[in-house]
Amino acid sequence: MKHLIILASALTLSMSAFSQTDTTYNCQKGSYLSFGVGGGLHSLGYKLSDYGNKTLSGGISANLIYSYYFTPHFGLGFGAQLQTFSSTAKLNYIAEINGAIDDDNDTYTHRTYYNDLKENQKQTQLAIPVELFYQTQLSTKLKLNLGLGVMPELVLSESYKIKSGNLETRASYPELNLELHDLEHHHLYKSSIFSGNYDYKTSIAGIFNAQMLYALNSNVDLLFGIYTSYSFNSQTSPENQKQYDPDCMSDYTSPEYKGVLNSEVTSKVNPFTLGGQIGLRFRFKHKEKSKPEEPITEKVEEKVEEPQPEQQVVETQP
């Protein structure tokens, strides 16, 4: 029985020793500033249906986030995030316009053949994330930090450009069982030189990130983790129009390439991300208010004079 008591006491002491952590690295309330860079899948998020297929592309991101934890575990934060997006559409389909008019005022069916036409879109955004954070201690120097929130996405720059393939215009006369092509003087040609810009709208995205925080010292954490976001609203308002307008209903003087994102090819554009991130998080160390020193008072001892005993003079007779 004595041995069992000693063993139980030893196990209890061992468990208490392992469960203790250095309070210097514990989750603490207060202000933090984090900086991170990362990258991964950053796509403009649209569908092409039967018109072709889309290649998912990558992008990079960098952010600066200020957060305040009003308890050791829960906090709020906001900041700025710069991120890039890229997508490529590969198109293989035929677009027809009935009732087109040729140079002799005869009607025909105008056809545009998209032959492996690759259009690449690029975009750079400035986002303003606002997040709710939760952090918890995993071990002495390791913490888990989760963030959930929303962010407006402002488009800073964007462009599109044809990378390869071509589109070819042809004239079909069904009653004659005839299709004309490669007649540039009759506006029947091949072309692949198109580039320009889209008119994007501001979007609102939901964001989530999960980070591991490793304490380098009591005020600096190394962070690494994953992030993802998805835009709730479409950045464009695609119209029910052809990707390429040859102006075949009038005089062919104003042909216009509308692009993938402004035509019937797509219905909406919702950018999304999924990637990894690394960075640093700094804790602002607040100075504790010092208590005012109490004035030092010296005790003054009052000297009390003791009364002198009265001296009696005794006269003696000679």
Side-chain angles (χ1 to χ4, degrees):
M1 186 67 179
K2 183 179 180 181
H3 295 290
L4 290 175
I5 295 173
I6 295 173
L7 181 60
S9 301
L11 288 173
T12 303
L13 290 173
S14 300
M15 290 175 65
S16 62
F18 279 105
S19 63
Q20 290 177 355
T21 58
D22 188 345
T23 56
T24 306
Y25 305 117
N26 281 357
C27 297
Q28 299 182 44
K29 68 178 184 179
S31 299
Y32 295 83
L33 185 68
S34 63
F35 170 75
V37 294
L41 179 63
H42 288 212
S43 177
L44 289 178
Y46 55 83
K47 295 181 180 180
L48 296 176
S49 301
D50 297 329
Y51 296 96
N53 56 73
K54 185 189 73 171
T55 302
L56 299 178
S57 303
I60 59 174
S61 69
N63 60 30
L64 185 68
I65 305 293
Y66 168 80
S67 58
Y68 179 77
Y69 286 77
F70 41 86
T71 75
H73 298 288
F74 291 96
L76 289 171
F78 66 93
Q81 180 166 305
L82 193 68
Q83 50 192 9
T84 64
F85 291 82
S86 179
S87 291
T88 300
K90 184 178 180 181
L91 305 162
N92 282 287
Y93 73 100
I94 302 172
E96 292 187 348
I97 300 177
N98 296 316
I101 303 172
D102 63 15
D103 294 338
D104 298 323
N105 288 325
D106 293 326
T107 60
Y108 70 98
T109 298
H110 187 283
R111 289 178 176 172
T112 302
Y113 288 76
Y114 294 86
N115 304 312
D116 290 331
L117 186 73
K118 283 188 178 182
E119 180 188 302
N120 175 252
Q121 306 95 26
K122 293 183 178 180
Q123 187 184 112
T124 301
Q125 294 181 357
L126 174 63
I128 305 173
V130 179
E131 297 180 78
L132 174 66
F133 291 107
Y134 170 78
Q135 65 177 0
T136 185
Q137 198 81 24
L138 298 180
S139 64
T140 302
K141 289 190 174 185
L142 194 63
K143 294 184 283 287
L144 172 66
N145 188 51
L146 304 176
L148 181 66
V150 296
M151 60 182 182
E153 297 173 323
L154 311 175
V155 179
L156 299 181
S157 65
E158 51 80 25
S159 64
Y160 70 82
K161 186 176 183 180
I162 301 301
K163 292 295 185 179
S164 63
N166 61 62
L167 63 80
E168 180 182 5
T169 58
R170 297 186 181 188
S172 175
Y173 297 85
E175 67 279 4
L176 300 176
N177 195 24
L178 177 65
E179 188 174 74
L180 302 178
H181 58 89
D182 294 323
L183 299 171
E184 290 194 17
H185 57 286
H186 286 292
H187 318 291
L188 304 177
Y189 48 80
K190 292 180 182 179
S191 182
S192 59
I193 306 174
F194 301 106
S195 61
N197 304 94
Y198 289 115
D199 186 18
Y200 289 105
K201 299 182 296 184
T202 298
S203 56
I204 303 295
I207 53 175
F208 171 78
N209 56 72
Q211 299 170 346
M212 302 297 290
L213 301 171
Y214 180 79
L216 300 178
N217 57 48
S218 59
N219 295 317
V220 182
D221 295 318
L222 173 67
L223 68 86
F224 51 95
I226 60 172
Y227 64 89
T228 184
S229 68
Y230 179 79
S231 298
F232 299 127
N233 60 300
S234 177
Q235 285 190 331
T236 63
S237 300
E239 301 178 11
N240 188 22
Q241 60 184 358
K242 301 298 182 184
Q243 182 178 346
Y244 179 71
D245 180 8
D247 195 24
C248 60
M249 304 301 287
S250 57
D251 55 4
Y252 297 89
T253 59
S254 302
E256 183 181 4
Y257 182 81
K258 304 288 187 179
V260 170
L261 305 184
N262 276 345
S263 66
E264 62 185 1
V265 175
T266 58
S267 58
K268 57 184 179 178
V269 179
N270 302 90
F272 67 90
T273 64
L274 177 62
Q277 188 181 55
I278 188 170
L280 294 172
R281 189 179 76 160
F282 303 89
R283 183 171 72 91
F284 293 103
K285 196 171 183 179
H286 298 285
K287 293 182 179 179
E288 296 182 357
K289 293 182 179 180
S290 58
K291 296 181 179 179
E293 296 182 357
E294 296 181 358
I296 301 174
T297 57
E298 295 182 357
K299 292 184 178 180
V300 179
E301 295 183 358
E302 295 182 358
K303 293 182 178 180
V304 180
E305 295 183 359
E306 295 181 359
Q308 297 291 332
E310 294 183 359
Q311 296 181 357
Q312 294 181 353
V313 178
V314 180
E315 295 182 358
T316 58
Q317 296 293 330

